[in-house]
Amino acid sequence: MSDEKQMIIPKEAEEKAWEIARWMNKKDQIAVNFGMKVLNVKPGSCVVEMKVTEKMLNAVGITHGAVTYALADFAFAVASNSHGQVAVALNAQIHYPAPSKAGDILRATATEETKSRRTAIYRIEVKRADGTLVGLFTGTVFRRDDRVEQWMKD
Amino acid sequence: MSDEKQMIIPKEAEEKAWEIARWMNKKDQIAVNFGMKVLNVKPGSCVVEMKVTEKMLNAVGITHGAVTYALADFAFAVASNSHGQVAVALNAQIHYPAPSKAGDILRATATEETKSRRTAIYRIEVKRADGTLVGLFTGTVFRRDDRVEQWMKD
Amino acid sequence: MSDEKQMIIPKEAEEKAWEIARWMNKKDQIAVNFGMKVLNVKPGSCVVEMKVTEKMLNAVGITHGAVTYALADFAFAVASNSHGQVAVALNAQIHYPAPSKAGDILRATATEETKSRRTAIYRIEVKRADGTLVGLFTGTVFRRDDRVEQWMKD
Amino acid sequence: MSDEKQMIIPKEAEEKAWEIARWMNKKDQIAVNFGMKVLNVKPGSCVVEMKVTEKMLNAVGITHGAVTYALADFAFAVASNSHGQVAVALNAQIHYPAPSKAGDILRATATEETKSRRTAIYRIEVKRADGTLVGLFTGTVFRRDDRVEQWMKD
């Protein structure tokens, strides 16, 4: 999607993105309770992993749609806030092309589709370890004037 | 949306919807862990309630988007499976017009927009006790050939 | 959805909404070419009608999905700009529960789901004359600082 | 997204995709009236181009959202029907990250995200000649049992 990989990212921006991601990974209660772990982050993108447990299943015994959504949503939050400007979700859409089950390791990869002063769009792919796409998420944020760093002081 | 309220629903269909809802409320691990409770159900519609706890907050201390989604998603699952035909989510979209916080009682009301043999669309409104809309969810299901009752035997 | 119907709308706001709607109905080239007609407008809501012609069909001879979208989208634009503050579409979603065909009169009814200073959400139902829902549209706008009246002078 | 590019596509499948695309480009009235042209097609993907004219503008003089949608929607229809199995749209979502204007050449590139027996998901990017993304579209189809070739005989 974006060509950010080819661009040279200032070391400072990347370090700030990591600081924000680590802080979010500790403070976000769903990330903590579901055992999500940020594996990588760059300004505008990230990779998050999680293992599906018995507590994450729906009535028919497969991974709950809301759990797949939660993983994508946390990757969305990390990627959209990684620039330092506070980003709040306006809306999101998720497709469920295939199921997953207890024991599966799910990996969410977030990339920035577009970013303007006030809004930005992110794409998050959630895949099983065998590469099967189990969630395809598109989210839009409103970018506020305040900074994530202000929240991190508290 | 639908005029189902005005229609006379056979007592049997309503009882079956309640049986399915009670079974889902017990077996769905997210519904159980988040303390969701089905307050009402009719074929194609339902009302579910949940109290926001400290474990459901995001990094900036408000209700996690994935929690609002989870409540809407469970109401979506109950409403779409209440007819007895197994319904699996194809995709869903959620808007977040306002936030909520720990202590808030959230109520999700699911209604059936349309239903055909193979697909159906549901609208779920999630509101705070003061009536403020905090989640607006639209979900589409694929309706399979098997019956929910088959799953309930296990 | 909204309780606006029960609210008393100042006569001035309603007249301004009509002025804006009439101007948009004349200037919007798709509305003009597709023969769309605003039947009613209030601040935040409107009703638009259109007759499906042979020029609006897809390869298999039914109404083109983009035509149903276009009608919903124009109703969305009128409703979201009717307050006088310029509203630009961020994103939209449409469901197609049933088809329509040449000769059908389609009616789009737009209502305001929520509105804040910077964003607002609209729901548009597109129905055939027999009441069948053929399009269900949800759209989000970003509300800019400029006024529609400034555009109307040109 | 998909790794189809690297896969070897049977010459026959590619020729059939072209036959279907050419037929749709002639029979689809919106494609004809808006001057859309299929530039490339493979099973599951395609590229369509169109020039924005004065008749495609909204009330404030930029490309109508429904026009950008129409181009994406036609690429969606060609890509999803290119396998030969009839595909009908269930729902679609579009984001508008940037505007375009009269005279702009817009290019829609459709790729297949996932495909199963009954449903499939497509991503369509609409770009201006300078590479700016003006529309980001995700669409879901229901795959019926009948064949496109049956329609082409009529």
Side-chain angles (χ1 to χ4, degrees), chain A residues 19-147:
Chain A
E19 261 182 77
I20 291 169
R22 270 190 293 260
W23 176 78
M24 291 180 76
N25 210 348
K26 241 189 300 187
K27 293 276 285 184
D28 185 303
Q29 293 306 299
I30 297 298
V32 170
N33 288 321
F34 283 12
M36 297 176 193
K37 194 172 167 13
V38 178
L39 298 187
N40 202 359
V41 63
K42 284 199 174 72
S45 66
C46 71
V47 179
V48 183
E49 221 178 63
M50 183 189 80
K51 188 179 180 172
V52 179
T53 68
E54 299 285 337
K55 294 205 154 185
M56 301 179 187
L57 307 182
N58 66 15
V60 299
I62 56 171
T63 307
H64 204 292
V67 167
T68 309
Y69 181 93
L71 178 61
D73 189 55
F74 180 60
F76 171 44
V78 169
S80 61
N81 281 285
S82 65
H83 298 288
Q85 192 174 338
V86 171
V88 294
L90 284 179
N91 55 49
Q93 185 194 34
I94 190 165
H95 288 79
Y96 298 109
S100 66
K101 58 182 202 311
D104 276 338
I105 307 282
L106 300 184
R107 183 176 283 206
T109 304
T111 49
E112 197 163 75
E113 297 274 10
T114 63
K115 175 166 69 78
S116 67
R117 200 173 69 89
R118 279 299 177 205
T119 62
I121 305 171
Y122 296 83
R123 167 188 172 93
I124 295 95
E125 298 182 354
V126 182
K127 292 184 173 177
R128 298 193 314 229
D130 66 3
T132 305
L133 188 69
V134 297
L136 181 57
F137 177 110
T138 310
T140 303
V141 291
F142 179 74
R143 308 181 76 212
R144 298 197 316 205
D145 288 323
D146 49 334
R147 307 284 308 169

Side-chain angles (χ1 to χ4, degrees), chain D residues 25-148:
Chain D
N25 211 347
K26 242 189 298 186
K27 292 276 285 185
D28 186 301
Q29 294 305 300
I30 296 299
V32 170
N33 288 320
F34 282 12
M36 297 176 192
K37 195 173 167 11
V38 177
L39 298 188
N40 202 359
V41 64
K42 285 201 174 70
S45 67
C46 72
V47 178
V48 184
E49 221 178 63
M50 184 189 80
K51 188 179 179 172
V52 179
T53 67
E54 298 286 336
K55 293 202 155 187
M56 301 180 187
L57 306 182
N58 65 14
V60 299
I62 57 173
T63 308
H64 204 292
V67 167
T68 309
Y69 181 93
L71 178 61
D73 189 55
F74 180 60
F76 171 43
V78 170
S80 61
N81 282 286
S82 64
H83 299 288
Q85 192 175 337
V86 171
V88 294
L90 284 178
N91 55 49
Q93 184 193 37
I94 191 165
H95 288 79
Y96 298 110
S100 66
K101 58 182 200 311
D104 276 337
I105 308 282
L106 300 184
R107 182 176 283 206
T109 304
T111 49
E112 198 163 72
E113 297 275 11
T114 64
K115 173 166 70 78
S116 68
R117 200 173 69 87
R118 280 299 177 206
T119 62
I121 305 170
Y122 296 84
R123 168 190 172 92
I124 294 95
E125 297 183 355
V126 182
K127 291 184 174 178
R128 300 193 313 229
D130 65 2
T132 304
L133 188 70
V134 297
L136 182 57
F137 177 110
T138 310
T140 302
V141 290
F142 180 75
R143 307 180 77 213
R144 298 198 316 205
D145 288 323
D146 49 333
R147 306 284 308 169
V148 182

Side-chain angles (χ1 to χ4, degrees), chain B residues 54-125:
Chain B
E54 298 286 336
K55 294 201 154 187
M56 300 180 188
L57 307 182
N58 66 14
V60 298
I62 56 173
T63 308
H64 204 292
V67 168
T68 309
Y69 181 93
L71 177 61
D73 189 54
F74 179 61
F76 172 43
V78 169
S80 60
N81 282 286
S82 64
H83 299 287
Q85 193 176 337
V86 171
V88 294
L90 284 178
N91 55 47
Q93 186 193 36
I94 191 164
H95 288 80
Y96 299 110
S100 66
K101 58 181 202 310
D104 276 337
I105 308 282
L106 300 185
R107 182 175 286 205
T109 304
T111 49
E112 197 163 73
E113 296 275 11
T114 64
K115 174 166 69 78
S116 68
R117 200 172 70 88
R118 279 300 177 206
T119 61
I121 306 170
Y122 296 83
R123 169 189 171 92
I124 295 95
E125 297 182 354

